[in-house]
PDB file of all heavy atoms in Angstrom:
ATOM      1  N   ALA D 233      13.391   8.499 -21.420  1.00 92.00           N
ATOM      2  CA  ALA D 233      13.439   7.694 -22.676  1.00 92.00           C
ATOM      3  C   ALA D 233      14.547   8.372 -23.542  1.00 92.00           C
ATOM      4  O   ALA D 233      15.060   7.675 -24.521  1.00 92.00           O
ATOM      5  CB  ALA D 233      12.054   7.731 -23.349  1.00 92.00           C
ATOM      6  N   ARG D 234      14.942   9.558 -23.317  1.00 89.00           N
ATOM      7  CA  ARG D 234      15.994  10.241 -24.179  1.00 89.00           C
ATOM      8  C   ARG D 234      17.372   9.944 -23.641  1.00 89.00           C
ATOM      9  O   ARG D 234      18.220  10.218 -24.267  1.00 89.00           O
ATOM     10  CB  ARG D 234      15.666  11.778 -24.134  1.00 89.00           C
ATOM     11  CG  ARG D 234      14.600  12.141 -24.979  1.00 89.00           C
ATOM     12  CD  ARG D 234      14.542  13.630 -25.080  1.00 89.00           C
ATOM     13  NE  ARG D 234      13.671  14.051 -26.154  1.00 89.00           N
ATOM     14  CZ  ARG D 234      12.969  15.170 -25.994  1.00 89.00           C
ATOM     15  NH1 ARG D 234      13.039  15.931 -24.885  1.00 89.00           N
ATOM     16  NH2 ARG D 234      12.252  15.561 -26.973  1.00 89.00           N
ATOM     17  N   ASN D 235      17.415   9.287 -22.574  1.00 90.00           N
ATOM     18  CA  ASN D 235      18.654   8.975 -21.967  1.00 90.00           C
ATOM     19  C   ASN D 235      19.272   7.658 -22.533  1.00 90.00           C
ATOM     20  O   ASN D 235      18.791   6.572 -22.255  1.00 90.00           O
ATOM     21  CB  ASN D 235      18.543   8.830 -20.430  1.00 90.00           C
ATOM     22  CG  ASN D 235      19.948   8.837 -19.718  1.00 90.00           C
ATOM     23  OD1 ASN D 235      20.699   7.900 -20.031  1.00 90.00           O
ATOM     24  ND2 ASN D 235      20.170   9.598 -18.815  1.00 90.00           N
ATOM     25  N   ARG D 236      20.259   7.823 -23.431  1.00 91.00           N
ATOM     26  CA  ARG D 236      20.728   6.656 -24.132  1.00 91.00           C
ATOM     27  C   ARG D 236      21.365   5.626 -23.211  1.00 91.00           C
ATOM     28  O   ARG D 236      21.437   4.475 -23.445  1.00 91.00           O
ATOM     29  CB  ARG D 236      21.628   7.032 -25.236  1.00 91.00           C
ATOM     30  CG  ARG D 236      20.827   7.736 -26.469  1.00 91.00           C
ATOM     31  CD  ARG D 236      21.809   7.773 -27.707  1.00 91.00           C
ATOM     32  NE  ARG D 236      22.837   8.878 -27.491  1.00 91.00           N
ATOM     33  CZ  ARG D 236      24.074   8.558 -27.418  1.00 91.00           C
ATOM     34  NH1 ARG D 236      24.576   7.340 -27.612  1.00 91.00           N
ATOM     35  NH2 ARG D 236      24.998   9.564 -27.288  1.00 91.00           N
ATOM     36  N   GLY D 237      21.973   6.096 -22.070  1.00 91.00           N
ATOM     37  CA  GLY D 237      22.556   5.318 -21.140  1.00 91.00           C
ATOM     38  C   GLY D 237      21.659   4.330 -20.514  1.00 91.00           C
ATOM     39  O   GLY D 237      21.809   3.173 -20.425  1.00 91.00           O
ATOM     40  N   VAL D 238      20.586   4.914 -19.911  1.00 93.00           N
ATOM     41  CA  VAL D 238      19.592   4.046 -19.360  1.00 93.00           C
ATOM     42  C   VAL D 238      18.884   3.099 -20.227  1.00 93.00           C
ATOM     43  O   VAL D 238      18.674   1.922 -19.996  1.00 93.00           O
ATOM     44  CB  VAL D 238      18.503   4.966 -18.529  1.00 93.00           C
ATOM     45  CG1 VAL D 238      17.325   4.128 -17.942  1.00 93.00           C
ATOM     46  CG2 VAL D 238      19.177   5.839 -17.547  1.00 93.00           C
ATOM     47  N   LEU D 239      18.652   3.693 -21.503  1.00 94.00           N
ATOM     48  CA  LEU D 239      17.986   2.855 -22.554  1.00 94.00           C
ATOM     49  C   LEU D 239      18.787   1.665 -22.836  1.00 94.00           C
ATOM     50  O   LEU D 239      18.334   0.491 -22.912  1.00 94.00           O
ATOM     51  CB  LEU D 239      17.850   3.701 -23.761  1.00 94.00           C
ATOM     52  CG  LEU D 239      16.693   3.503 -24.666  1.00 94.00           C
ATOM     53  CD1 LEU D 239      15.410   3.681 -23.898  1.00 94.00           C
ATOM     54  CD2 LEU D 239      16.634   4.484 -25.836  1.00 94.00           C
ATOM     55  N   HIS D 240      20.257   1.872 -22.933  1.00 93.00           N
ATOM     56  CA  HIS D 240      21.105   0.753 -23.298  1.00 93.00           C
ATOM     57  C   HIS D 240      20.942  -0.423 -22.234  1.00 93.00           C
ATOM     58  O   HIS D 240      20.767  -1.623 -22.541  1.00 93.00           O
ATOM     59  CB  HIS D 240      22.517   1.284 -23.360  1.00 93.00           C
ATOM     60  CG  HIS D 240      23.506   0.288 -23.208  1.00 93.00           C
ATOM     61  ND1 HIS D 240      23.921  -0.467 -24.385  1.00 93.00           N
ATOM     62  CD2 HIS D 240      24.266  -0.217 -22.224  1.00 93.00           C
ATOM     63  CE1 HIS D 240      24.897  -1.404 -24.068  1.00 93.00           C
ATOM     64  NE2 HIS D 240      25.151  -1.257 -22.729  1.00 93.00           N
ATOM     65  N   PHE D 241      20.962  -0.005 -20.907  1.00 93.00           N
ATOM     66  CA  PHE D 241      20.925  -1.052 -19.904  1.00 93.00           C
ATOM     67  C   PHE D 241      19.518  -1.615 -19.746  1.00 93.00           C
ATOM     68  O   PHE D 241      19.367  -2.815 -19.418  1.00 93.00           O
ATOM     69  CB  PHE D 241      21.357  -0.437 -18.558  1.00 93.00           C
ATOM     70  CG  PHE D 241      22.837  -0.258 -18.501  1.00 93.00           C
ATOM     71  CD1 PHE D 241      23.462   0.994 -18.428  1.00 93.00           C
ATOM     72  CD2 PHE D 241      23.736  -1.412 -18.385  1.00 93.00           C
ATOM     73  CE1 PHE D 241      24.841   1.108 -18.560  1.00 93.00           C
ATOM     74  CE2 PHE D 241      25.038  -1.204 -18.372  1.00 93.00           C
ATOM     75  CZ  PHE D 241      25.707   0.029 -18.372  1.00 93.00           C
ATOM     76  N   LEU D 242      18.568  -0.849 -19.997  1.00 94.00           N
ATOM     77  CA  LEU D 242      17.123  -1.382 -20.050  1.00 94.00           C
ATOM     78  C   LEU D 242      17.006  -2.480 -21.028  1.00 94.00           C
ATOM     79  O   LEU D 242      16.490  -3.556 -20.651  1.00 94.00           O
ATOM     80  CB  LEU D 242      16.176  -0.243 -20.256  1.00 94.00           C
ATOM     81  CG  LEU D 242      15.542   0.477 -19.080  1.00 94.00           C
ATOM     82  CD1 LEU D 242      14.551   1.508 -19.528  1.00 94.00           C
ATOM     83  CD2 LEU D 242      14.736  -0.427 -18.155  1.00 94.00           C
ATOM     84  N   GLU D 243      17.439  -2.165 -22.231  1.00 95.00           N
ATOM     85  CA  GLU D 243      17.297  -3.117 -23.256  1.00 95.00           C
ATOM     86  C   GLU D 243      18.140  -4.440 -22.972  1.00 95.00           C
ATOM     87  O   GLU D 243      17.628  -5.546 -23.150  1.00 95.00           O
ATOM     88  CB  GLU D 243      17.766  -2.614 -24.608  1.00 95.00           C
ATOM     89  CG  GLU D 243      16.713  -1.531 -25.137  1.00 95.00           C
ATOM     90  CD  GLU D 243      17.034  -1.086 -26.470  1.00 95.00           C
ATOM     91  OE1 GLU D 243      18.238  -0.967 -26.861  1.00 95.00           O
ATOM     92  OE2 GLU D 243      16.108  -0.664 -27.294  1.00 95.00           O
ATOM     93  N   ARG D 244      19.275  -4.179 -22.319  1.00 94.00           N
ATOM     94  CA  ARG D 244      20.181  -5.284 -21.962  1.00 94.00           C
ATOM     95  C   ARG D 244      19.477  -6.175 -20.870  1.00 94.00           C
ATOM     96  O   ARG D 244      19.362  -7.399 -20.938  1.00 94.00           O
ATOM     97  CB  ARG D 244      21.499  -4.867 -21.604  1.00 94.00           C
ATOM     98  CG  ARG D 244      22.550  -5.935 -21.673  1.00 94.00           C
ATOM     99  CD  ARG D 244      23.903  -5.357 -21.424  1.00 94.00           C
ATOM    100  NE  ARG D 244      24.058  -5.348 -19.885  1.00 94.00           N
ATOM    101  CZ  ARG D 244      25.304  -4.995 -19.358  1.00 94.00           C
ATOM    102  NH1 ARG D 244      26.296  -4.710 -20.134  1.00 94.00           N
ATOM    103  NH2 ARG D 244      25.340  -5.026 -18.094  1.00 94.00           N
ATOM    104  N   GLU D 245      18.874  -5.570 -19.913  1.00 92.00           N
ATOM    105  CA  GLU D 245      18.276  -6.244 -18.719  1.00 92.00           C
ATOM    106  C   GLU D 245      17.057  -6.907 -19.218  1.00 92.00           C
ATOM    107  O   GLU D 245      16.644  -8.012 -18.663  1.00 92.00           O
ATOM    108  CB  GLU D 245      17.911  -5.214 -17.567  1.00 92.00           C
ATOM    109  CG  GLU D 245      19.053  -4.565 -16.969  1.00 92.00           C
ATOM    110  CD  GLU D 245      19.768  -5.527 -15.894  1.00 92.00           C
ATOM    111  OE1 GLU D 245      19.141  -6.339 -15.369  1.00 92.00           O
ATOM    112  OE2 GLU D 245      21.032  -5.449 -15.746  1.00 92.00           O
ATOM    113  N   ILE D 246      16.196  -6.333 -19.943  1.00 94.00           N
ATOM    114  CA  ILE D 246      14.912  -6.929 -20.505  1.00 94.00           C
ATOM    115  C   ILE D 246      15.171  -8.010 -21.470  1.00 94.00           C
ATOM    116  O   ILE D 246      14.429  -8.946 -21.578  1.00 94.00           O
ATOM    117  CB  ILE D 246      13.971  -5.781 -20.955  1.00 94.00           C
ATOM    118  CG1 ILE D 246      13.571  -4.911 -19.817  1.00 94.00           C
ATOM    119  CG2 ILE D 246      12.775  -6.403 -21.579  1.00 94.00           C
ATOM    120  CD1 ILE D 246      12.794  -3.600 -20.163  1.00 94.00           C
ATOM    121  N   GLY D 247      16.201  -7.768 -22.306  1.00 93.00           N
ATOM    122  CA  GLY D 247      16.534  -8.752 -23.440  1.00 93.00           C
ATOM    123  C   GLY D 247      15.621  -8.442 -24.568  1.00 93.00           C
ATOM    124  O   GLY D 247      15.274  -9.444 -25.283  1.00 93.00           O
ATOM    125  N   ALA D 248      15.188  -7.224 -24.757  1.00 94.00           N
ATOM    126  CA  ALA D 248      14.402  -6.856 -25.896  1.00 94.00           C
ATOM    127  C   ALA D 248      14.666  -5.480 -26.345  1.00 94.00           C
ATOM    128  O   ALA D 248      15.093  -4.661 -25.471  1.00 94.00           O
ATOM    129  CB  ALA D 248      12.943  -7.149 -25.634  1.00 94.00           C
ATOM    130  N   SER D 249      14.485  -5.110 -27.556  1.00 95.00           N
ATOM    131  CA  SER D 249      14.666  -3.594 -27.879  1.00 95.00           C
ATOM    132  C   SER D 249      13.307  -2.881 -27.572  1.00 95.00           C
ATOM    133  O   SER D 249      12.195  -3.523 -27.682  1.00 95.00           O
ATOM    134  CB  SER D 249      15.083  -3.496 -29.397  1.00 95.00           C
ATOM    135  OG  SER D 249      14.417  -4.457 -30.136  1.00 95.00           O
ATOM    136  N   LEU D 250      13.521  -1.697 -27.306  1.00 96.00           N
ATOM    137  CA  LEU D 250      12.465  -0.862 -26.828  1.00 96.00           C
ATOM    138  C   LEU D 250      12.059   0.140 -27.962  1.00 96.00           C
ATOM    139  O   LEU D 250      12.922   0.676 -28.594  1.00 96.00           O
ATOM    140  CB  LEU D 250      12.769  -0.069 -25.522  1.00 96.00           C
ATOM    141  CG  LEU D 250      13.207  -0.880 -24.367  1.00 96.00           C
ATOM    142  CD1 LEU D 250      13.641  -0.073 -23.220  1.00 96.00           C
ATOM    143  CD2 LEU D 250      12.076  -1.952 -23.826  1.00 96.00           C
ATOM    144  N   LEU D 251      10.741   0.295 -28.112  1.00 97.00           N
ATOM    145  CA  LEU D 251      10.256   1.391 -28.962  1.00 97.00           C
ATOM    146  C   LEU D 251      10.262   2.742 -28.368  1.00 97.00           C
ATOM    147  O   LEU D 251       9.629   2.791 -27.216  1.00 97.00           O
ATOM    148  CB  LEU D 251       8.863   0.967 -29.562  1.00 97.00           C
ATOM    149  CG  LEU D 251       8.767  -0.390 -30.301  1.00 97.00           C
ATOM    150  CD1 LEU D 251       7.386  -0.844 -30.389  1.00 97.00           C
ATOM    151  CD2 LEU D 251       9.444  -0.249 -31.669  1.00 97.00           C
TER     152      LEU D 251
END
Side-chain angles (χ1 to χ4, degrees):
Chain D
R234 281 187 168 146
N235 186 310
R236 285 192 292 117
V238 175
L239 213 57
H240 166 80
F241 285 108
L242 266 178
E243 291 187 327
R244 208 175 75 173
E245 293 281 330
I246 292 171
S249 36
L250 304 175
L251 299 165

